[in-house]
């Protein structure tokens, strides 16, 4: 079993820490946000993620997971140090690497044992090499080698994904470093891919960009289905059953959001620009995604003849289901545009209302999902929460001013909504 330090207690860092602890390793989880560490020490969570609270509490109790703000304690016996800090986008779309570099400086000061430093944050090509340079320049008190192991977990199923990865990518400087990381991961399933640092960095961006491409592609086919009166659900199924295409990530709607796809597609595009490569396809993927939420709003506007003084009920604020995360959420954009155009918005989300109110303080939210329907001129479904499928739609219809539902996630069955008496509009379905 190994001693591990993980820097950054976000979705990636905290989930990896809890899962490594469950495998029997001794893990120190460090974050510069004192409040996060205080919460974790008290068995509380800094964000919502299914299955994670139980696992974190169990591991903290067993003293296999140690939350700390101190680099000295985290790094004094670490054999492997993971950097899992955020790499948010700058205004120009590049990744802001300041947190990665400042973690590197702290590592240089505090490592006491020969160790492997692993970048798990999503970083542009060449960053792992830069981190090496930063640590080396500070003359650390112990020897170290560098690796890049990108993470592929999804918010909402982070624990499950980390315990059952499809693949473990290890970009390493030397066979010896790769061997240490193979040993660290030995109890986990999934294929191993051993490669160099730059290739590992690109694998992560290429994976996210490809998934984003699938989404933008299916959204454009759905827009076309709207024009020709065809059904995107059947089109996606008919395509997805071909194993070369695959069924996953062919759900049409209002486009992708979150802290990863929007940022990573733009960052990869910036990498291409900085190498004078014109990545036309990726540019279109980003553009289509930007357009998709606007197209949806346009559809609603056309039906309602404008938003001034219209009561709009919004179901869903998170960027996707099973999370309270609203970063780059299409729902948040749409709500902001609605408010700007004079609509009276009442919103409900099972987990994300508190976070939404931090950026839209005047947003009216309600505790019961049915309350968004009261006197509504229309209901907009903006996040794919499964519970919205089971709502008492017959009762909801009675409390609305106009029985009009715009489903931005193709969550409900058109025939059933029509049977109840709704005018029901979704994306690419007749
Ligand atoms: C994504 C990747 O799926 C993970 O593999 C990756 O590790 C992660 O980014 C990351 O880089 O950290 P995540 O952002 O948690 O994970 O969310 P996804 O489940 O991929 O969904 C992203 C967005 O695409 C959501 O807004 C979702 O609603 C949308 N989406 C997804 C669709 O519109 N259609 C689909 O078919 C699938």
């Amino acid at each position: 079993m190994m001693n591990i330090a993980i820097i950054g207690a976000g979705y990636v860092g905290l989930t990896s820490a809890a899962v490594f602890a469950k495998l029997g390793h001794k893990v120190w989880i460090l974050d510069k946000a004192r409040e996060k560490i205080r919460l974790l020490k008290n068995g509380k969570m800094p964000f919502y993620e299914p299955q994670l609270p139980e696992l974190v509490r169990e591991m903290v109790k067993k003293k296999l997971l140690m939350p700390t703000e101190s680099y000295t304690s985290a790094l004094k016996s670490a054999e492997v140090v993971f950097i899992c800090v955020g790499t948010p986008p700058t205004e120009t779309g590049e990744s802001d690497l300041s947190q990665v570099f400042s973690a590197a400086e702290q590592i240089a000061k505090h490592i006491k044992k020969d160790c492997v430093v692993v970048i798990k944050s999503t970083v542009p090509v060449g960053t792992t090499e830069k981190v090496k340079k930063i640590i080396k320049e500070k003359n650390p008190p112990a020897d170290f080698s560098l690796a890049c192991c990108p993470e592929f977990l999804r918010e909402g199923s982070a624990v499950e994904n980390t315990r059952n990865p499809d693949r473990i990518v290890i970009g390493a400087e030397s066979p010896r470093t790769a061997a240490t990381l193979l040993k660290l991961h030995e109890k986990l399933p999934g294929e191993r891919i051993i490669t160099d640092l730059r290739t590992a960095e690109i694998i992560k961006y290429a994976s996210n960009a490809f998934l984003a491409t699938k989404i933008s592609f299916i959204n454009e086919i759905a827009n076309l289905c709207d024009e020709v009166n065809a059904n995107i659900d059947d089109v996606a199924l008919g395509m997805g059953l071909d194993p070369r295409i695959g069924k996953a990530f062919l759900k049409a709607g209002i486009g992708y959001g979150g802290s990863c796809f929007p940022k990573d597609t733009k960052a990869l595009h910036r990498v291409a620009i900085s190498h004078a490569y014109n990545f036309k396809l990726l540019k279109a993927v980003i553009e289509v995604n930007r357009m998709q939420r606007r197209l949806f709003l346009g559809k609603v506007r056309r039906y309602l003849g404008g938003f001034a003084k219209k009561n709009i009920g919004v179901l869903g604020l998170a960027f996707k289901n099973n999370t309270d995360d609203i970063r780059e959420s299409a729902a948040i954009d749409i709500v902001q545009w609605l408010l700007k155009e004079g609509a009276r918005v009442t919103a409900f989300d099972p987990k994300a209302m508190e976070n939404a109110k931090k950026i839209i303080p005047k947003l009216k939210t309600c505790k019961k999902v049915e309350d968004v329907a009261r006197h509504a001129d229309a209901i907009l479904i903006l996040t794919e929460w499964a519970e919205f499928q089971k709502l008492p739609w017959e009762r909801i219809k009675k409390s609305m001013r106009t029985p009009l539902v715009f489903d931005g996630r193709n969550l409900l069955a058109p025939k059933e909504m029509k049977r109840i008496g709704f005018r029901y509009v979704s994306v690419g379905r007749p």
Side-chain angles (χ1 to χ4, degrees), residues 206-317:
S207 303
N208 274 3
F210 189 76
L211 291 169
T213 304
K214 270 188 115 174
I215 298 171
S216 278
F217 184 86
I218 205 67
N219 280 335
E220 291 228 89
I221 296 285
N223 298 342
L224 199 57
C225 283
D226 268 338
E227 297 302 321
V228 302
N229 217 18
N231 187 330
I232 192 63
D233 286 349
D234 291 348
V235 173
L237 185 64
M239 288 167 62
L241 285 170
D242 182 334
R244 292 170 303 173
I245 298 174
K247 281 192 277 187
F249 280 65
L250 288 182
K251 187 85 184 158
I254 49 177
Y256 59 78
S259 63
C260 305
F261 287 174
K263 162 178 81 88
D264 295 348
T265 44
K266 284 178 211 149
L268 185 59
H269 189 236
R270 294 300 306 185
V271 170
I273 290 174
S274 67
H275 289 80
Y277 180 72
N278 186 7
F279 201 151
K280 290 187 204 162
L281 181 58
L282 187 57
K283 204 166 148 190
V285 167
I286 296 166
E287 189 52 42
V288 168
N289 195 57
R290 197 176 299 135
M291 174 190 77
Q292 197 65 10
R293 45 190 85 171
R294 291 239 174 237
L295 276 182
F296 180 76
L297 188 79
K299 229 187 222 181
V300 185
R301 192 190 292 111
R302 267 199 312 281
Y303 271 85
L304 292 176
F307 294 117
K309 300 212 171 92
K310 290 276 161 45
N311 296 331
I312 308 289
V314 163
L315 291 179
L317 295 163

Side-chain angles (χ1 to χ4, degrees), residues 96-158:
D96 173 358
L97 296 172
S98 55
Q99 295 182 57
V100 173
F101 296 151
S102 107
E105 285 177 14
Q106 293 298 334
I107 291 169
K109 267 195 230 156
H110 291 96
I111 44 169
K112 288 278 175 300
K113 224 180 139 136
D114 290 359
C115 65
V116 178
V117 177
V118 189
I119 312 278
K120 223 183 211 319
S121 306
T122 302
V123 290
V125 192
T127 305
T128 310
E129 288 158 10
K130 278 189 198 154
V131 165
K132 175 161 190 163
K133 219 169 137 221
I134 291 174
I135 302 180
K136 233 184 167 147
E137 272 167 7
K138 303 259 166 210
N139 286 321
D143 200 11
F144 70 100
S145 69
L146 253 289
C148 170
C149 288
E151 178 54 59
F152 302 100
L153 66 80
R154 296 169 70 190
E155 287 181 26
S157 53

Side-chain angles (χ1 to χ4, degrees), residues 53-81:
E54 302 84 321
L55 189 60
V56 167
R57 277 197 282 271
E58 182 195 339
M59 292 303 117
V60 170
K61 206 165 160 200
K62 286 192 173 152
K63 298 205 160 42
L64 284 171
L65 179 62
M66 277 82 57
T68 178
E69 307 131 26
S70 150
Y71 273 94
T72 314
S73 348
L75 297 181
K76 69 173 183 281
S77 57
E79 294 155 86
V80 181
V81 182

Side-chain angles (χ1 to χ4, degrees), residues 29 219 230 322:
I29 176 89
N219 280 335
N322 295 332

